[in-house]
Amino acid sequence: MTEHRDYLGAKMGMWIFLFTEILLFGGLFVLYSVTLGRYPTEFHEASKLLDVTMGTTNTMVLITSSLFAALSVVGLRKGSRKVAKTCIFLTLTLACCFLVIKYFEWSHKIHAGIYPGGGTLTQWEPGKQAFFSLYYTMTGLHGLHVILGMGVFLWVWTRIAVGTCTPEHFVALENAGLYWHLVDLIWIYLFPLYYLIT
């Protein structure tokens, strides 16, 4: 029995899914812009409390992971399952690095009571509270997308290993790469909005 494969349908479905993701984060970016317009001074002051070094490191980590995601597609299309799997492994490793750095960054803030409902944050001006509410919402949602992307890449890695994702039928890996590039792109917008607005 021949497995049905619909390359065009799979690609179209992925682009529609990515469009809904853009709408989701686009709405949050609009909310951020409106709130920034209301509390510009407080946003600038709150931004100084974020660790630019950690944010910059995470930006470089995600950009590099995106490169390996692209190289995994190139490797598989050229017939090298080993290169594809190695590049996926490196993408996953860098994704873990991103989450670990984000964990330490969040932990430091939460430990200091700087989180929605936290003892320190509730005593600050409404503008700073709004800044950190948006910060945790948007970076947290982005972090969930990173975890989802890791799951997708892990699934694709197993498909390559068992031979169902091949140089002739690589749409699963290509779609995973597209999703990962969007996750990367969203962070590239989040980074200056939260870390560099000072």
Side-chain angles (χ1 to χ4, degrees):
M1 183 177 176
T2 305
E3 183 182 351
H4 175 69
R5 295 177 186 272
D6 182 1
Y7 177 83
L8 187 60
K11 292 292 291 182
M12 184 65 72
M14 191 58 184
W15 280 110
I16 292 172
F17 172 71
L18 293 181
F19 180 69
T20 63
E21 292 290 289
I22 291 170
L23 288 179
L24 171 64
F25 277 96
L28 289 171
F29 282 126
V30 170
L31 178 62
Y32 175 94
S33 300
V34 171
T35 314
L36 171 63
R38 187 174 178 186
Y39 304 108
T41 305
E42 290 87 345
F43 266 49
H44 284 269
E45 290 175 355
S47 176
K48 292 176 183 174
L49 299 173
L50 298 181
D51 192 321
V52 178
T53 302
M54 282 189 172
T56 303
T57 304
N58 259 349
T59 303
M60 299 307 297
V61 164
L62 266 194
I63 290 174
T64 307
S65 73
S66 234
L67 172 64
F68 283 120
L71 290 176
S72 69
V73 178
V74 173
L76 187 62
R77 292 189 68 171
K78 287 187 175 180
S80 176
R81 294 197 303 171
K82 183 179 179 182
V83 169
K85 288 195 300 180
T86 301
C87 288
I88 290 174
F89 173 77
L90 291 171
T91 302
L92 290 171
T93 302
L94 289 169
C96 284
C97 289
F98 177 90
L99 291 176
V100 168
I101 291 171
K102 185 53 67 182
Y103 167 78
F104 282 114
E105 193 176 2
W106 272 35
S107 296
H108 177 71
K109 293 285 176 295
I110 291 171
H111 191 69
I114 306 172
Y115 60 92
T120 303
L121 189 59
T122 52
Q123 298 175 19
W124 289 354
E125 302 94 325
K128 286 185 178 178
Q129 294 184 34
F131 176 89
F132 278 102
S133 293
L134 285 169
Y135 166 76
Y136 282 110
T137 301
M138 295 178 76
T139 59
L141 190 60
H142 177 265
L144 287 176
H145 281 71
V146 170
I147 293 171
L148 178 62
M150 291 172 69
V152 171
F153 267 119
L154 198 57
W155 172 71
V156 173
W157 191 93
T158 58
R159 285 178 63 89
I160 294 172
V162 300
T164 55
C165 186
T166 64
E168 295 77 25
H169 305 289
F170 55 87
V171 70
L173 178 57
E174 198 172 48
N175 279 346
L178 280 174
Y179 175 80
W180 197 253
H181 295 322
L182 179 68
V183 170
D184 184 18
L185 185 64
I186 290 168
W187 178 258
I188 287 173
Y189 278 100
L190 287 175
F191 173 61
L193 288 179
Y194 283 101
Y195 293 83
L196 303 179
I197 62 171
T198 55

